[in-house]
Each structure stands twice: as C-alpha cells, then as structure tokens.
Amino acid sequence: MLKLMLASMLGLWAMSSYAGEESTYDFLWLDPDKAVYVLQNKIHKKEHTLYMDVGYLQNLTSAFQDTRGVAVKAGFYFHEEWAVEVMYLGYQNNNNDNFRNVQLLNEGVPFVRRPDRTLGAGIVWSPFYGKINTFNKIVYFDWSFGAGVAQVTTKSNLKSVTAASSEDRYESENNAGAYAKSAFKFHLNQNWHVGVEWVGTYYRAPGPKNPKQDKVRSNNDLIFQLGWSY
C-alpha cells in the first residue's frame, strides 16, 4: 500500500510538472476519442481587457440606518493578474427600528454618520481562478483582491447631537481615506459575468465623545453585481 501511494504521488507530480495550457490527460477507462483538459487551459483570459460592473450594495456597518445603494466600477487589466480600477458607491439612508427605539425611549436621537458617496481608485490583483462543475455545466470563476485611495463623503448630526437644545440636523463631511476589497467573479460567457464583492472603506472623522479629535472609522459594503468585459 505504501509503495502504491508513493508511486501515485510521483505520477501526479510528474504530470503536473509538465502540464501547460495545451496539455491533456488521457484516461484509459474513457473512450479513445476523449481527453480531459487540465485546469491550466484558461478559458477567460483577462490581459488587455476592459471591464465595467454595475451592482446593488447593502451596507453592513450602520447601526441606526437601513443603508443600500448602487456601485459602478470600471477597470483595465494591463496584465493577466493585475488591473487598475475606478469605482463609485452611492448610498440611500433611512432611519431603522434601532433609531426609532432610541428616539422613543430616550426622547432624543442617537449620533449617526450616514455614508453618502465614495469615489475610489486603486489596483486589483487576481491570483486565483478555477472552475466548478454544477448540473453538468462548467462555471469559471476568478477570486481577486484590491486596494486603493478614496474620497469619502458622509453626513452626520455631530454638531446638533452634542448640543442638546439644537434641532437634529445633518451636515456634509468630506474625508480622504483608503479601501480594501475582495471579490468573486463568475463568468457567464466570454463577455458577461456576475459576482459578489466585499468593500471596506477606512477614513478619519470625529465622534460625539471628542468632537475635535479624529479617529479611524470604517464602512463595510456587500455588493452583488453584473459586469461586462471586452
């Protein structure tokens, strides 16, 4: 049994060592006219391609808001694994049950910072690709990571919530920041794909405890998107 295991491992190593995009494996128990292509035979190549994604986003951070919105991205792969990208995230906010409960029980309003929009530019790294056989259909996917700089626009009631006699009002805030993300992209055909993406945005802004001191804040979004590439 040990000899058989060692022989199998050596055989697999030898096949993988010489496998390329044109390589195939011939299995004796298959029909003579059939061959199995190795994973290196990449179908959806990305180098020198443009892409655009449009998606629906759900915010995962706001404690007192129901926040959702749209995401629009465009990018260019200058290498098979590397791309440059720009993105726009736009948000719509509504007070949720937590906000109304605080307002009802405490006869006041909580501190709220609402995301308004985010503009970002960065780089994308796509080191992983693969395929899944589901219902006798091969689905190809890519797994990527990204990071970049961002301009984060928010609205908060910081000034009014720290002055008990003031009427609750929101004022716009602009902050420089950065973002990180991770995405799965599933290819429908050579031009169209769907995907899911997590984006975390980080910036510095004050809070009600010390309105004159900035601290690192974060905003997390989950995005479901449809894209086109050429």
Side-chain angles (χ1 to χ4, degrees), residues 64-123:
F64 298 105
Q65 301 288 294
D66 287 330
T67 302
R68 54 185 61 88
V70 296
V72 180
K73 299 181 303 170
F76 174 72
Y77 273 95
F78 58 89
H79 182 273
E80 185 61 27
E81 294 183 357
W82 294 93
V84 290
E85 181 181 271
V86 293
M87 73 172 184
Y88 167 81
L89 307 179
Y91 301 88
Q92 182 178 14
N93 301 274
N94 293 291
N95 297 334
N96 61 16
D97 288 340
N98 293 335
F99 184 97
R100 288 186 286 270
N101 290 336
V102 171
Q103 192 174 32
L104 177 64
L105 297 176
N106 296 343
E107 298 182 354
V109 295
F111 167 66
V112 175
R113 174 169 281 115
R114 297 169 170 172
D116 188 29
R117 65 180 180 272
T118 298
L119 299 174
I123 195 163

Short mmCIF file of all heavy atoms in Angstrom, two decimals, residues 64-123:
data_model
loop_
_atom_site.label_atom_id
_atom_site.label_comp_id
_atom_site.label_asym_id
_atom_site.label_seq_id
_atom_site.Cartn_x
_atom_site.Cartn_y
_atom_site.Cartn_z
N PHE A 64 -27.90 52.50 13.03
CA PHE A 64 -29.19 53.18 13.16
C PHE A 64 -29.81 53.52 11.80
O PHE A 64 -30.75 54.30 11.73
CB PHE A 64 -29.02 54.47 13.98
CG PHE A 64 -28.56 54.22 15.39
CD1 PHE A 64 -27.25 54.48 15.75
CD2 PHE A 64 -29.44 53.72 16.34
CE1 PHE A 64 -26.82 54.24 17.05
CE2 PHE A 64 -29.02 53.48 17.64
CZ PHE A 64 -27.71 53.73 18.00
N GLN A 65 -29.27 52.94 10.73
CA GLN A 65 -29.76 53.23 9.39
C GLN A 65 -29.94 51.96 8.58
O GLN A 65 -29.18 51.01 8.74
CB GLN A 65 -28.78 54.15 8.65
CG GLN A 65 -28.51 55.48 9.33
CD GLN A 65 -29.69 56.42 9.23
OE1 GLN A 65 -30.06 56.86 8.14
NE2 GLN A 65 -30.30 56.73 10.36
N ASP A 66 -30.96 51.96 7.73
CA ASP A 66 -31.05 50.97 6.66
C ASP A 66 -30.41 51.63 5.44
O ASP A 66 -30.98 52.57 4.86
CB ASP A 66 -32.51 50.61 6.38
CG ASP A 66 -33.11 49.74 7.48
OD1 ASP A 66 -32.34 48.98 8.10
OD2 ASP A 66 -34.32 49.84 7.72
N THR A 67 -29.25 51.14 5.07
CA THR A 67 -28.45 51.78 4.03
C THR A 67 -28.22 50.83 2.88
O THR A 67 -27.72 49.72 3.07
CB THR A 67 -27.09 52.26 4.59
OG1 THR A 67 -27.33 53.15 5.68
CG2 THR A 67 -26.29 52.98 3.53
N ARG A 68 -28.58 51.26 1.69
CA ARG A 68 -28.35 50.49 0.48
C ARG A 68 -28.00 51.48 -0.63
O ARG A 68 -28.06 52.69 -0.44
CB ARG A 68 -29.58 49.66 0.11
CG ARG A 68 -30.86 50.46 0.02
CD ARG A 68 -32.08 49.59 -0.21
NE ARG A 68 -32.27 48.66 0.87
CZ ARG A 68 -32.96 48.92 1.97
NH1 ARG A 68 -33.54 50.11 2.12
NH2 ARG A 68 -33.11 48.03 2.90
N GLY A 69 -27.63 50.95 -1.78
CA GLY A 69 -27.26 51.87 -2.85
C GLY A 69 -26.80 51.16 -4.09
O GLY A 69 -27.12 49.98 -4.32
N VAL A 70 -26.02 51.88 -4.90
CA VAL A 70 -25.53 51.36 -6.18
C VAL A 70 -24.01 51.45 -6.21
O VAL A 70 -23.41 52.30 -5.54
CB VAL A 70 -26.13 52.12 -7.37
CG1 VAL A 70 -27.63 51.93 -7.44
CG2 VAL A 70 -25.77 53.60 -7.31
N ALA A 71 -23.41 50.57 -6.98
CA ALA A 71 -21.96 50.57 -7.18
C ALA A 71 -21.68 50.50 -8.67
O ALA A 71 -22.28 49.70 -9.39
CB ALA A 71 -21.32 49.38 -6.46
N VAL A 72 -20.77 51.35 -9.13
CA VAL A 72 -20.36 51.36 -10.53
C VAL A 72 -18.83 51.33 -10.56
O VAL A 72 -18.17 52.13 -9.88
CB VAL A 72 -20.87 52.61 -11.26
CG1 VAL A 72 -20.42 52.60 -12.72
CG2 VAL A 72 -22.39 52.70 -11.18
N LYS A 73 -18.26 50.40 -11.34
CA LYS A 73 -16.81 50.26 -11.42
C LYS A 73 -16.39 50.06 -12.87
O LYS A 73 -17.14 49.52 -13.68
CB LYS A 73 -16.33 49.05 -10.61
CG LYS A 73 -16.64 49.10 -9.13
CD LYS A 73 -16.09 47.87 -8.44
CE LYS A 73 -16.67 46.62 -9.07
NZ LYS A 73 -16.02 45.38 -8.64
N ALA A 74 -15.17 50.50 -13.16
CA ALA A 74 -14.57 50.27 -14.47
C ALA A 74 -13.08 50.06 -14.28
O ALA A 74 -12.47 50.66 -13.39
CB ALA A 74 -14.84 51.44 -15.41
N GLY A 75 -12.51 49.18 -15.11
CA GLY A 75 -11.09 48.90 -14.95
C GLY A 75 -10.47 48.35 -16.22
O GLY A 75 -11.17 48.05 -17.21
N PHE A 76 -9.16 48.20 -16.17
CA PHE A 76 -8.39 47.68 -17.31
C PHE A 76 -7.30 46.75 -16.79
O PHE A 76 -6.52 47.13 -15.90
CB PHE A 76 -7.75 48.83 -18.09
CG PHE A 76 -6.84 48.35 -19.20
CD1 PHE A 76 -7.36 47.78 -20.35
CD2 PHE A 76 -5.46 48.48 -19.08
CE1 PHE A 76 -6.52 47.34 -21.36
CE2 PHE A 76 -4.62 48.04 -20.08
CZ PHE A 76 -5.16 47.46 -21.23
N TYR A 77 -7.26 45.53 -17.34
CA TYR A 77 -6.22 44.56 -17.00
C TYR A 77 -5.01 44.78 -17.92
O TYR A 77 -5.07 44.46 -19.10
CB TYR A 77 -6.74 43.13 -17.14
CG TYR A 77 -7.42 42.61 -15.91
CD1 TYR A 77 -8.81 42.68 -15.78
CD2 TYR A 77 -6.70 42.04 -14.86
CE1 TYR A 77 -9.44 42.21 -14.64
CE2 TYR A 77 -7.32 41.56 -13.72
CZ TYR A 77 -8.70 41.66 -13.61
OH TYR A 77 -9.32 41.19 -12.48
N PHE A 78 -3.94 45.33 -17.36
CA PHE A 78 -2.71 45.51 -18.12
C PHE A 78 -1.82 44.27 -18.05
O PHE A 78 -0.80 44.18 -18.74
CB PHE A 78 -1.93 46.73 -17.62
CG PHE A 78 -1.55 46.68 -16.16
CD1 PHE A 78 -0.35 46.10 -15.76
CD2 PHE A 78 -2.38 47.22 -15.20
CE1 PHE A 78 0.01 46.06 -14.42
CE2 PHE A 78 -2.03 47.18 -13.86
CZ PHE A 78 -0.83 46.60 -13.47
N HIS A 79 -2.21 43.31 -17.20
CA HIS A 79 -1.51 42.03 -17.03
C HIS A 79 -2.57 41.00 -16.71
O HIS A 79 -3.69 41.33 -16.31
CB HIS A 79 -0.48 42.16 -15.90
CG HIS A 79 0.34 40.92 -15.66
ND1 HIS A 79 -0.07 39.91 -14.83
CD2 HIS A 79 1.54 40.55 -16.16
CE1 HIS A 79 0.86 38.96 -14.81
NE2 HIS A 79 1.85 39.32 -15.61
N GLU A 80 -2.26 39.74 -16.90
CA GLU A 80 -3.24 38.69 -16.64
C GLU A 80 -3.74 38.70 -15.20
O GLU A 80 -4.88 38.33 -14.92
CB GLU A 80 -2.65 37.32 -16.98
CG GLU A 80 -3.63 36.16 -16.85
CD GLU A 80 -4.83 36.27 -17.79
OE1 GLU A 80 -4.71 36.90 -18.85
OE2 GLU A 80 -5.89 35.73 -17.43
N GLU A 81 -2.91 39.14 -14.27
CA GLU A 81 -3.30 39.13 -12.85
C GLU A 81 -3.49 40.52 -12.26
O GLU A 81 -3.96 40.64 -11.13
CB GLU A 81 -2.25 38.38 -12.02
CG GLU A 81 -2.15 36.90 -12.34
CD GLU A 81 -1.16 36.18 -11.45
OE1 GLU A 81 -0.50 36.86 -10.62
OE2 GLU A 81 -1.02 34.96 -11.58
N TRP A 82 -3.16 41.60 -12.99
CA TRP A 82 -3.18 42.94 -12.42
C TRP A 82 -4.02 43.88 -13.26
O TRP A 82 -3.96 43.88 -14.49
CB TRP A 82 -1.77 43.49 -12.29
CG TRP A 82 -0.92 42.73 -11.31
CD1 TRP A 82 -0.08 41.69 -11.59
CD2 TRP A 82 -0.84 42.94 -9.90
NE1 TRP A 82 0.53 41.24 -10.45
CE2 TRP A 82 0.09 41.99 -9.39
CE3 TRP A 82 -1.43 43.85 -9.02
CZ2 TRP A 82 0.40 41.92 -8.05
CZ3 TRP A 82 -1.11 43.78 -7.68
CH2 TRP A 82 -0.21 42.83 -7.20
N ALA A 83 -4.79 44.73 -12.55
CA ALA A 83 -5.64 45.72 -13.22
C ALA A 83 -5.66 47.01 -12.41
O ALA A 83 -5.39 47.02 -11.20
CB ALA A 83 -7.07 45.18 -13.37
N VAL A 84 -5.98 48.11 -13.10
CA VAL A 84 -6.27 49.38 -12.44
C VAL A 84 -7.78 49.59 -12.51
O VAL A 84 -8.43 49.18 -13.48
CB VAL A 84 -5.50 50.55 -13.08
CG1 VAL A 84 -4.02 50.44 -12.79
CG2 VAL A 84 -5.73 50.60 -14.59
N GLU A 85 -8.34 50.26 -11.50
CA GLU A 85 -9.79 50.34 -11.39
C GLU A 85 -10.21 51.65 -10.74
O GLU A 85 -9.52 52.18 -9.87
CB GLU A 85 -10.30 49.15 -10.57
CG GLU A 85 -11.80 49.10 -10.39
CD GLU A 85 -12.23 47.91 -9.55
OE1 GLU A 85 -12.46 46.84 -10.12
OE2 GLU A 85 -12.31 48.06 -8.31
N VAL A 86 -11.35 52.18 -11.18
CA VAL A 86 -12.01 53.29 -10.50
C VAL A 86 -13.41 52.83 -10.11
O VAL A 86 -14.00 51.96 -10.78
CB VAL A 86 -12.08 54.54 -11.40
CG1 VAL A 86 -10.69 55.10 -11.66
CG2 VAL A 86 -12.78 54.24 -12.72
N MET A 87 -13.94 53.41 -9.03
CA MET A 87 -15.26 52.99 -8.56
C MET A 87 -16.04 54.15 -7.97
O MET A 87 -15.46 55.13 -7.49
CB MET A 87 -15.15 51.85 -7.53
CG MET A 87 -14.65 52.28 -6.18
SD MET A 87 -14.77 50.95 -4.96
CE MET A 87 -14.24 51.81 -3.47
N TYR A 88 -17.36 54.03 -8.02
CA TYR A 88 -18.28 54.98 -7.40
C TYR A 88 -19.29 54.19 -6.60
O TYR A 88 -19.91 53.24 -7.11
CB TYR A 88 -18.99 55.82 -8.47
CG TYR A 88 -20.17 56.60 -7.92
CD1 TYR A 88 -19.98 57.80 -7.25
CD2 TYR A 88 -21.47 56.10 -8.05
CE1 TYR A 88 -21.06 58.51 -6.74
CE2 TYR A 88 -22.55 56.79 -7.54
CZ TYR A 88 -22.35 58.00 -6.89
OH TYR A 88 -23.42 58.69 -6.37
N LEU A 89 -19.49 54.58 -5.34
CA LEU A 89 -20.50 53.99 -4.48
C LEU A 89 -21.45 55.09 -4.05
O LEU A 89 -21.02 56.10 -3.48
CB LEU A 89 -19.87 53.33 -3.24
CG LEU A 89 -18.76 52.32 -3.47
CD1 LEU A 89 -18.23 51.80 -2.13
CD2 LEU A 89 -19.24 51.16 -4.33
N GLY A 90 -22.74 54.92 -4.32
CA GLY A 90 -23.75 55.89 -3.91
C GLY A 90 -24.74 55.26 -2.96
O GLY A 90 -25.17 54.11 -3.17
N TYR A 91 -25.13 55.99 -1.90
CA TYR A 91 -25.93 55.41 -0.82
C TYR A 91 -27.26 56.13 -0.64
O TYR A 91 -27.37 57.33 -0.89
CB TYR A 91 -25.16 55.49 0.50
CG TYR A 91 -23.83 54.79 0.50
CD1 TYR A 91 -22.67 55.45 0.10
CD2 TYR A 91 -23.71 53.47 0.93
CE1 TYR A 91 -21.44 54.81 0.11
CE2 TYR A 91 -22.48 52.83 0.94
CZ TYR A 91 -21.35 53.51 0.52
OH TYR A 91 -20.13 52.88 0.53
N GLN A 92 -28.26 55.37 -0.17
CA GLN A 92 -29.53 55.91 0.27
C GLN A 92 -29.78 55.41 1.68
O GLN A 92 -29.65 54.21 1.96
CB GLN A 92 -30.67 55.47 -0.66
CG GLN A 92 -32.02 56.04 -0.29
CD GLN A 92 -33.11 55.62 -1.26
OE1 GLN A 92 -32.92 54.71 -2.06
NE2 GLN A 92 -34.25 56.27 -1.20
N ASN A 93 -30.14 56.33 2.59
CA ASN A 93 -30.26 56.01 4.02
C ASN A 93 -31.67 56.27 4.53
O ASN A 93 -32.31 57.27 4.15
CB ASN A 93 -29.27 56.85 4.84
CG ASN A 93 -27.83 56.64 4.42
OD1 ASN A 93 -27.17 55.74 4.90
ND2 ASN A 93 -27.33 57.50 3.53
N ASN A 94 -32.12 55.41 5.43
CA ASN A 94 -33.39 55.58 6.13
C ASN A 94 -33.23 55.15 7.57
O ASN A 94 -32.51 54.18 7.87
CB ASN A 94 -34.50 54.75 5.47
CG ASN A 94 -34.85 55.23 4.07
OD1 ASN A 94 -35.40 56.30 3.88
ND2 ASN A 94 -34.49 54.42 3.07
N ASN A 95 -33.89 55.88 8.48
CA ASN A 95 -33.84 55.51 9.90
C ASN A 95 -34.47 54.13 10.10
O ASN A 95 -35.54 53.85 9.58
CB ASN A 95 -34.59 56.53 10.75
CG ASN A 95 -33.96 57.92 10.69
OD1 ASN A 95 -32.76 58.04 10.44
ND2 ASN A 95 -34.75 58.94 10.93
N ASN A 96 -33.79 53.27 10.88
CA ASN A 96 -34.30 51.93 11.12
C ASN A 96 -34.96 51.83 12.49
O ASN A 96 -35.14 52.84 13.20
CB ASN A 96 -33.19 50.88 10.95
CG ASN A 96 -32.05 51.08 11.94
OD1 ASN A 96 -32.19 51.79 12.93
ND2 ASN A 96 -30.93 50.44 11.67
N ASP A 97 -35.34 50.63 12.90
CA ASP A 97 -36.03 50.43 14.17
C ASP A 97 -35.16 50.82 15.36
O ASP A 97 -35.67 51.33 16.37
CB ASP A 97 -36.48 48.97 14.31
CG ASP A 97 -37.64 48.64 13.39
OD1 ASP A 97 -38.33 49.58 12.94
OD2 ASP A 97 -37.85 47.44 13.12
N ASN A 98 -33.86 50.59 15.28
CA ASN A 98 -32.97 50.98 16.38
C ASN A 98 -33.01 52.49 16.61
O ASN A 98 -33.04 52.96 17.75
CB ASN A 98 -31.53 50.55 16.08
CG ASN A 98 -31.37 49.05 16.08
OD1 ASN A 98 -32.13 48.32 16.71
ND2 ASN A 98 -30.38 48.56 15.35
N PHE A 99 -33.00 53.24 15.54
CA PHE A 99 -33.07 54.70 15.65
C PHE A 99 -34.38 55.12 16.30
O PHE A 99 -34.41 55.94 17.23
CB PHE A 99 -32.94 55.33 14.26
CG PHE A 99 -32.92 56.83 14.25
CD1 PHE A 99 -31.72 57.51 14.20
CD2 PHE A 99 -34.11 57.57 14.29
CE1 PHE A 99 -31.69 58.89 14.19
CE2 PHE A 99 -34.09 58.94 14.28
CZ PHE A 99 -32.88 59.62 14.23
N ARG A 100 -35.49 54.55 15.83
CA ARG A 100 -36.80 54.93 16.36
C ARG A 100 -36.96 54.51 17.82
O ARG A 100 -37.61 55.21 18.61
CB ARG A 100 -37.90 54.33 15.48
CG ARG A 100 -38.00 55.02 14.11
CD ARG A 100 -39.19 54.50 13.32
NE ARG A 100 -38.95 53.17 12.80
CZ ARG A 100 -38.40 52.93 11.61
NH1 ARG A 100 -38.02 53.94 10.84
NH2 ARG A 100 -38.21 51.70 11.19
N ASN A 101 -36.37 53.37 18.21
CA ASN A 101 -36.47 52.93 19.61
C ASN A 101 -35.72 53.87 20.54
O ASN A 101 -36.20 54.20 21.64
CB ASN A 101 -35.92 51.51 19.75
CG ASN A 101 -36.82 50.48 19.11
OD1 ASN A 101 -38.02 50.71 18.94
ND2 ASN A 101 -36.26 49.34 18.73
N VAL A 102 -34.52 54.30 20.13
CA VAL A 102 -33.77 55.27 20.95
C VAL A 102 -34.54 56.58 21.04
O VAL A 102 -34.62 57.19 22.11
CB VAL A 102 -32.38 55.50 20.34
CG1 VAL A 102 -31.67 56.66 21.04
CG2 VAL A 102 -31.54 54.24 20.44
N GLN A 103 -35.12 57.00 19.94
CA GLN A 103 -35.89 58.24 19.93
C GLN A 103 -37.11 58.15 20.84
O GLN A 103 -37.46 59.11 21.55
CB GLN A 103 -36.31 58.55 18.49
CG GLN A 103 -36.86 59.94 18.27
CD GLN A 103 -37.13 60.20 16.80
OE1 GLN A 103 -37.48 59.28 16.04
NE2 GLN A 103 -36.97 61.45 16.38
N LEU A 104 -37.74 57.00 20.87
CA LEU A 104 -38.94 56.81 21.68
C LEU A 104 -38.61 56.68 23.16
O LEU A 104 -39.25 57.31 24.03
CB LEU A 104 -39.70 55.56 21.20
CG LEU A 104 -40.96 55.17 21.98
CD1 LEU A 104 -42.02 56.25 21.85
CD2 LEU A 104 -41.50 53.84 21.50
N LEU A 105 -37.61 55.88 23.51
CA LEU A 105 -37.31 55.60 24.92
C LEU A 105 -36.53 56.72 25.59
O LEU A 105 -36.74 57.01 26.77
CB LEU A 105 -36.53 54.28 25.02
CG LEU A 105 -37.27 53.03 24.53
CD1 LEU A 105 -36.34 51.82 24.58
CD2 LEU A 105 -38.51 52.78 25.39
N ASN A 106 -35.63 57.35 24.87
CA ASN A 106 -34.76 58.37 25.47
C ASN A 106 -35.19 59.79 25.16
O ASN A 106 -34.57 60.75 25.62
CB ASN A 106 -33.31 58.19 25.00
CG ASN A 106 -32.73 56.86 25.46
OD1 ASN A 106 -33.26 56.22 26.37
ND2 ASN A 106 -31.64 56.45 24.84
N GLU A 107 -36.24 59.92 24.35
CA GLU A 107 -36.74 61.23 23.93
C GLU A 107 -35.61 62.08 23.34
O GLU A 107 -35.48 63.27 23.60
CB GLU A 107 -37.40 61.97 25.11
CG GLU A 107 -38.61 61.24 25.65
CD GLU A 107 -39.29 62.00 26.78
OE1 GLU A 107 -38.72 63.04 27.19
OE2 GLU A 107 -40.36 61.58 27.22
N GLY A 108 -34.78 61.43 22.56
CA GLY A 108 -33.68 62.10 21.89
C GLY A 108 -33.30 61.30 20.67
O GLY A 108 -33.99 60.34 20.28
N VAL A 109 -32.22 61.68 20.03
CA VAL A 109 -31.75 60.97 18.84
C VAL A 109 -30.31 60.51 19.06
O VAL A 109 -29.54 61.18 19.76
CB VAL A 109 -31.84 61.84 17.58
CG1 VAL A 109 -33.29 62.17 17.26
CG2 VAL A 109 -31.03 63.11 17.74
N PRO A 110 -29.93 59.37 18.49
CA PRO A 110 -28.54 58.91 18.61
C PRO A 110 -27.63 59.64 17.62
O PRO A 110 -28.10 60.27 16.68
CB PRO A 110 -28.64 57.42 18.27
CG PRO A 110 -29.78 57.35 17.31
CD PRO A 110 -30.77 58.40 17.75
N PHE A 111 -26.33 59.52 17.86
CA PHE A 111 -25.37 60.04 16.90
C PHE A 111 -25.35 59.12 15.69
O PHE A 111 -25.24 57.91 15.81
CB PHE A 111 -23.97 60.10 17.53
CG PHE A 111 -22.88 60.33 16.53
CD1 PHE A 111 -22.79 61.53 15.84
CD2 PHE A 111 -21.95 59.33 16.26
CE1 PHE A 111 -21.79 61.73 14.90
CE2 PHE A 111 -20.94 59.53 15.33
CZ PHE A 111 -20.86 60.73 14.65
N VAL A 112 -25.44 59.72 14.51
CA VAL A 112 -25.50 58.96 13.26
C VAL A 112 -24.55 59.61 12.24
O VAL A 112 -24.55 60.83 12.07
CB VAL A 112 -26.93 58.92 12.67
CG1 VAL A 112 -26.93 58.24 11.31
CG2 VAL A 112 -27.88 58.21 13.62
N ARG A 113 -23.76 58.76 11.60
CA ARG A 113 -22.95 59.20 10.45
C ARG A 113 -23.38 58.35 9.25
O ARG A 113 -23.16 57.15 9.20
CB ARG A 113 -21.46 59.06 10.72
CG ARG A 113 -20.59 59.38 9.50
CD ARG A 113 -19.13 59.50 9.84
NE ARG A 113 -18.82 60.81 10.45
CZ ARG A 113 -18.39 60.98 11.69
NH1 ARG A 113 -18.23 59.92 12.49
NH2 ARG A 113 -18.13 62.18 12.14
N ARG A 114 -24.01 59.01 8.30
CA ARG A 114 -24.54 58.32 7.13
C ARG A 114 -23.54 58.37 5.98
O ARG A 114 -23.04 59.45 5.64
CB ARG A 114 -25.84 58.98 6.67
CG ARG A 114 -26.98 58.94 7.66
CD ARG A 114 -28.10 59.86 7.18
NE ARG A 114 -29.33 59.71 7.95
CZ ARG A 114 -30.39 60.50 7.83
NH1 ARG A 114 -30.36 61.50 6.96
NH2 ARG A 114 -31.46 60.29 8.58
N PRO A 115 -23.25 57.25 5.34
CA PRO A 115 -22.45 57.32 4.11
C PRO A 115 -23.27 57.95 2.99
O PRO A 115 -24.47 57.67 2.85
CB PRO A 115 -22.12 55.86 3.81
CG PRO A 115 -23.22 55.09 4.47
CD PRO A 115 -23.62 55.86 5.69
N ASP A 116 -22.65 58.82 2.23
CA ASP A 116 -23.33 59.50 1.13
C ASP A 116 -22.81 59.01 -0.21
O ASP A 116 -23.58 58.55 -1.06
CB ASP A 116 -23.15 61.01 1.27
CG ASP A 116 -23.99 61.78 0.26
OD1 ASP A 116 -25.06 61.26 -0.13
OD2 ASP A 116 -23.59 62.88 -0.14
N ARG A 117 -21.50 59.10 -0.41
CA ARG A 117 -20.90 58.56 -1.64
C ARG A 117 -19.41 58.35 -1.41
O ARG A 117 -18.80 58.99 -0.53
CB ARG A 117 -21.13 59.49 -2.83
CG ARG A 117 -20.46 60.84 -2.73
CD ARG A 117 -20.74 61.70 -3.96
NE ARG A 117 -20.10 63.00 -3.85
CZ ARG A 117 -20.65 64.07 -3.27
NH1 ARG A 117 -21.86 63.96 -2.73
NH2 ARG A 117 -19.99 65.20 -3.22
N THR A 118 -18.83 57.48 -2.20
CA THR A 118 -17.40 57.18 -2.15
C THR A 118 -16.86 57.10 -3.56
O THR A 118 -17.42 56.40 -4.41
CB THR A 118 -17.14 55.85 -1.41
OG1 THR A 118 -17.60 55.95 -0.06
CG2 THR A 118 -15.65 55.53 -1.40
N LEU A 119 -15.78 57.82 -3.79
CA LEU A 119 -15.05 57.74 -5.06
C LEU A 119 -13.70 57.11 -4.77
O LEU A 119 -13.00 57.54 -3.84
CB LEU A 119 -14.87 59.13 -5.66
CG LEU A 119 -16.14 59.90 -6.02
CD1 LEU A 119 -15.79 61.32 -6.47
CD2 LEU A 119 -16.92 59.18 -7.11
N GLY A 120 -13.33 56.11 -5.54
CA GLY A 120 -12.08 55.40 -5.28
C GLY A 120 -11.32 55.06 -6.54
O GLY A 120 -11.89 54.96 -7.63
N ALA A 121 -10.03 54.90 -6.38
CA ALA A 121 -9.16 54.46 -7.49
C ALA A 121 -8.07 53.59 -6.89
O ALA A 121 -7.48 53.94 -5.85
CB ALA A 121 -8.55 55.65 -8.22
N GLY A 122 -7.81 52.45 -7.53
CA GLY A 122 -6.82 51.55 -6.96
C GLY A 122 -6.38 50.47 -7.93
O GLY A 122 -6.57 50.58 -9.15
N ILE A 123 -5.83 49.43 -7.38
CA ILE A 123 -5.27 48.33 -8.16
C ILE A 123 -5.93 47.02 -7.72
O ILE A 123 -6.32 46.87 -6.55
CB ILE A 123 -3.74 48.26 -7.99
CG1 ILE A 123 -3.11 47.36 -9.06
CG2 ILE A 123 -3.34 47.85 -6.57
CD1 ILE A 123 -1.63 47.57 -9.22
#
